[in-house]
Amino acid sequence: MKLLILAANDQIARIVEERILTEDKFKDVDLVLLLRRASRLQSLKDHYPDRVTLVDGDINNKQVVVDAAKGCDMIFSAVVDHDDAGNNRPTKNIIAVAEANKISRVIETSLLGIYDEVPGKFGKWNPDFCFGGNLEGSSPVNADQLLEDSGLDYTTLRLPWLNDRPEVKYSITHRHDTYVGVSGSRQSMDSRQSMDDVVLKIVADPTFGSRYSLGIADPDTDGLTRPVY
């Protein structure tokens, strides 16, 4: 398998990359890493020259993403589509690129609250902070709808507010479930953390989360009124 990772220097993406390159069960997975200033990941290329391809570019540039995706089997976008001004260029590019290169499996990062599924006081505070008080028409909401309408085998990962606690602890909720928790770990613990763990479940088994939206958070933070740092 060849996996294209967009925004490949993101913290979650970096741990995904490290685990794929070092864990035996992913030994047949090669990486194409697209990011601005690709030299930042040159050490990965140096250590794994046969398994890592670096691409210097912007995910808003359709042709750059099309070229990077050639020969790939799966796309993971490690950044939330907040492209209000550009009318969801990242997600539209991913869809166009997947269609052009006959890639069906797509994973895109999003955030909690896009369905107004977060309960309690936190659920009232979060839209004001993340969506300017208005979910309708926001870029993350539109991105999820674009993927659903695309016909691709996609997964939207709705991430919580992230902290740097060294732990792997999370529960998964589905699209029509009430979101459980408000925060989760992005900090590496023995080269693992809660968010990358879900991404790698999909890489290992592409049927996991197929054509669906998954919410991820530490259940111990459920019912809190503010993020846990």
Side-chain angles (χ1 to χ4, degrees), residues 11 161-167 184-188 228-229:
Q11 188 169 353
W161 285 72
L162 299 173
N163 59 50
D164 291 322
R165 295 186 174 191
E167 59 188 10
S185 169
R186 67 182 168 195
Q187 175 64 36
S188 174
V228 175
Y229 296 107

Side-chain angles (χ1 to χ4, degrees), residues 46-129:
D46 292 342
H47 280 93
Y48 303 96
D50 297 328
R51 296 184 61 194
V52 173
T53 300
L54 297 180
V55 179
D56 198 313
D58 187 334
I59 62 173
N60 289 321
N61 185 319
K62 179 180 174 181
Q63 191 58 52
V64 168
V65 185
V66 167
D67 292 342
K70 290 178 180 176
C72 292
D73 304 289
M74 182 183 292
I75 300 172
F76 167 45
S77 178
V79 64
V80 177
D81 184 346
H82 281 299
D83 187 38
D84 292 310
N87 195 23
N88 290 105
R89 285 172 297 176
T91 301
K92 289 180 177 178
N93 285 349
I94 288 169
I95 292 169
V97 163
E99 292 172 347
N101 288 283
K102 295 181 170 57
I103 301 168
S104 65
R105 197 65 177 95
V106 170
I107 310 165
E108 182 165 284
T109 302
S110 189
L111 69 167
L112 78 171
I114 60 174
Y115 313 124
D116 197 22
E117 77 281 18
V118 183
K121 291 183 179 179
F122 188 89
K124 294 179 180 178
W125 171 82
N126 187 67
D128 290 336
F129 199 96

Side-chain angles (χ1 to χ4, degrees), residues 3 8 20 28 36 64 87 125 131 134 146 154-155 161 168 174 195 204 208:
L3 171 65
I20 286 175
D28 295 325
R36 294 173 178 170
V64 168
N87 195 23
W125 171 82
F131 302 97
N134 185 18
L146 285 166
Y154 79 99
T155 302
W161 285 72
V168 181
H174 298 91
M195 302 305 129
F208 181 77

Side-chain angles (χ1 to χ4, degrees), residues 126-219:
N126 187 67
D128 290 336
F129 199 96
C130 294
F131 302 97
N134 185 18
L135 290 172
E136 186 176 355
S138 67
S139 289
V141 170
N142 289 343
D144 179 65
Q145 190 64 53
L146 285 166
L147 287 172
E148 183 179 358
D149 293 342
S150 70
L152 295 173
D153 188 359
Y154 79 99
T155 302
T156 296
L157 297 180
R158 286 172 288 129
L159 304 188
W161 285 72
L162 299 173
N163 59 50
D164 291 322
R165 295 186 174 191
E167 59 188 10
V168 181
K169 184 170 56 174
Y170 63 90
S171 63
I172 290 177
T173 53
H174 298 91
R175 174 163 186 163
H176 300 292
D177 298 338
T178 298
Y179 200 94
V180 176
V182 303
S183 293
S185 169
R186 67 182 168 195
Q187 175 64 36
S188 174
M189 183 187 75
D190 298 327
S191 298
R192 297 184 303 134
Q193 41 98 313
S194 298
M195 302 305 129
D196 85 277
D197 205 60
V198 179
V199 175
L200 289 171
K201 284 181 183 291
I202 299 172
V203 174
D205 176 11
T207 66
F208 181 77
S210 174
R211 292 185 172 86
Y212 218 54
S213 171
L214 302 178
I216 311 162
D218 177 357

